[in-house]
């Protein structure tokens, strides 16, 4: 495979040339808004590996308080931080977004075509299988005490953040829609992801196999685990994406 080049996005992907642009985003696009990331220096999982361990499906339901502390906390910080300039560029261009993030910032920026592969902390689901309640989680207002678990408004049972835990399968419709999106893409931008979590990162080689130009935008110059990219745009996506608009 040809050694990927390090370029400016406008050099390799002049905006007028592509008509089906898809972005796969990770925590790095929200880091640009001031939220943390998960891996690498200062990442949430780097700093608290025991917290990452609690994020597994096999820890349910004992880990539900921790799920609210982690995912509810991320959504609260996102509501305070607001979307980054990178989120806003994707919204302005009407790019189809497939996000691994659960923070809701793409929708807050105005993106309307968003697939949330890992769910959303802005939604809650009832743990009671006989209930099946799913709805918006109420994260506005002052944060509750640590470990608080909101009650289900339908049955009084426990609510969990509607976030896909490790070991849980992705929503099949969302996963199917994501695959169809990349199969029709002519430009695939991976923005702010360490390319560590599957099946999300399989979408890039899928896009490449269907003829898309695949570009990795990351602040970190080390190649992700999988390297199906044609090019890398190294820098803060808060700067590298808006330059694409110039
Ligand atoms: C599945 C929500 C079957 C909740 C997440 C062993 C045991 C058990 C499971 C597995 C195993 N081995 C592999 C697996 C599969 C597992 C997995 O991938 N595990 C990993 C840990 C190896 N995957 C699953 O379990 C998935 N389900 O496989 O089901 C299936 C199979 C096929 C089809 C359908 C279903 C479920 C995965 C969902 C997990 N949920 N989050 C929770 O955490 O529990 S994933 C978690 O990582 C985060 O939520 C985040 O979304 C995701 C990816 O991380 P990134 O977004 O990439 O963030 P990261 O910090 O890693 O990187 C940030 C990047 O940004 C860095 O590169 C940095 O340089 C860059 N950056 C920073 N600042 C900037 C920047 N770039 C540009 N500008 C900046 N300013
Ligand atoms: Zn319920």
């Amino acid at each position: 495979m040809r050694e990927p080049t390090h370029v400016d996005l406008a050099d390799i992907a002049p905006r007028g040339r592509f008509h089906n642009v898809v972005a796969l985003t990770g925590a790095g696009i929200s880091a640009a808004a001031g939220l943390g990331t998960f891996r690498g220096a200062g990442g949430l999982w780097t700093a608290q590996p025991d917290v990452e361990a609690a994020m597994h499906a096999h820890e349910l339901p004992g880990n539900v308080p921790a799920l609210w502390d982690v995912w509810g906390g991320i959504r609260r910080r996102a509501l305070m931080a607001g979307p980054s300039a990178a989120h806003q560029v994707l919204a302005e261009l009407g790019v189809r977004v497939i996000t691994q993030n659960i923070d809701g910032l793409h929708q807050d920026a105005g993106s309307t075509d968003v697939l949330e592969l890992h769910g959303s902390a802005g939604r809650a689901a009832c743990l009671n299988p006989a209930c099946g309640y799913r709805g918006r989680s109420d994260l506005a207002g002052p944060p509750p005490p640590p470990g608080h678990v909101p009650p289900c408004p339908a049955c009084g049972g426990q609510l969990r953040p509607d976030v896909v835990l490790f070991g849980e399968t992705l929503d099949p419709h969302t996963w199917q829609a994501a695959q169809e999106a990349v199969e029709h893409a002519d430009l695939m931008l991976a923005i702010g992801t360490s390319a560590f979590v599957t099946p999300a990162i399989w979408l890039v080689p899928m896009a490449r196999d269907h003829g898309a130009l695949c570009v990795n935008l990351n602040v970190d110059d080390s190649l992700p685990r999988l390297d199906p990219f044609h090019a890398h745009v190294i820098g803060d996506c808060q700067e590298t994406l808006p330059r694409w608009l110039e």
Side-chain angles (χ1 to χ4, degrees):
M1 186 184 301
R2 183 162 50 83
E3 185 60 27
T5 55
H6 291 178
V7 291
D8 232 5
L9 192 50
D11 298 334
I12 189 165
R15 273 203 310 109
R17 187 184 306 169
F18 296 91
H19 306 292
N20 288 306
V21 185
V22 174
L24 172 66
T25 64
I29 197 168
S30 296
L35 275 72
T37 58
F38 294 96
R39 299 172 188 84
L44 182 61
W45 302 156
T46 313
Q48 298 175 289
D50 54 318
V51 174
E52 180 182 14
M55 298 294 113
H56 281 253
H58 59 239
E59 297 289 342
L60 283 168
N63 61 351
V64 172
L67 297 182
W68 281 110
D69 290 348
V70 171
W71 303 110
I74 287 179
R75 177 60 186 154
R76 277 197 185 84
R77 285 195 296 283
L79 285 166
M80 284 188 284
S84 70
H87 289 102
Q88 283 155 2
V89 166
L90 297 182
E92 191 178 323
L93 295 178
V95 169
R96 180 151 212 204
V97 175
I98 302 170
T99 189
Q100 300 173 85
N101 299 339
I102 52 78
D103 58 30
L105 285 176
H106 284 295
Q107 294 90 330
D108 295 348
S111 284
T112 52
D113 188 354
V114 181
L115 293 171
E116 294 174 310
L117 292 181
H118 297 162
S120 169
R123 287 194 308 273
C126 184
L127 284 170
N128 172 2
C131 170
Y133 170 83
R134 219 183 202 101
R136 300 218 51 74
S137 44
D138 175 18
L139 294 169
H148 170 75
V149 176
C152 170
C155 76
Q158 283 199 324
L159 288 181
R160 61 170 277 184
D162 191 14
V163 168
V164 180
L165 304 186
F166 289 116
E168 290 185 317
T169 57
L170 280 59
D171 171 72
H173 304 296
T174 305
W175 178 238
Q176 182 60 31
Q179 294 176 86
E180 284 163 11
V182 302
E183 283 163 9
H184 294 92
D186 54 8
L187 178 61
M188 176 81 182
L189 305 176
I191 306 169
T193 181
S194 62
F196 192 68
V197 172
T198 60
I201 200 56
W202 294 345
L203 294 169
V204 180
M206 270 184 215
R208 182 171 181 138
D209 291 347
H210 284 83
L213 176 72
C214 297
V215 185
N216 172 41
L217 288 85
N218 200 307
V219 73
D220 178 353
D221 196 7
S222 60
L223 294 189
R225 234 163 32 115
L226 298 171
D227 187 24
F229 296 105
H230 296 98
H232 297 263
V233 175
I234 303 302
D236 180 341
C237 62
Q238 180 95 279
E239 292 156 17
T240 54
L241 256 184
R243 269 211 300 274
W244 195 33
L245 285 182
E246 286 163 6

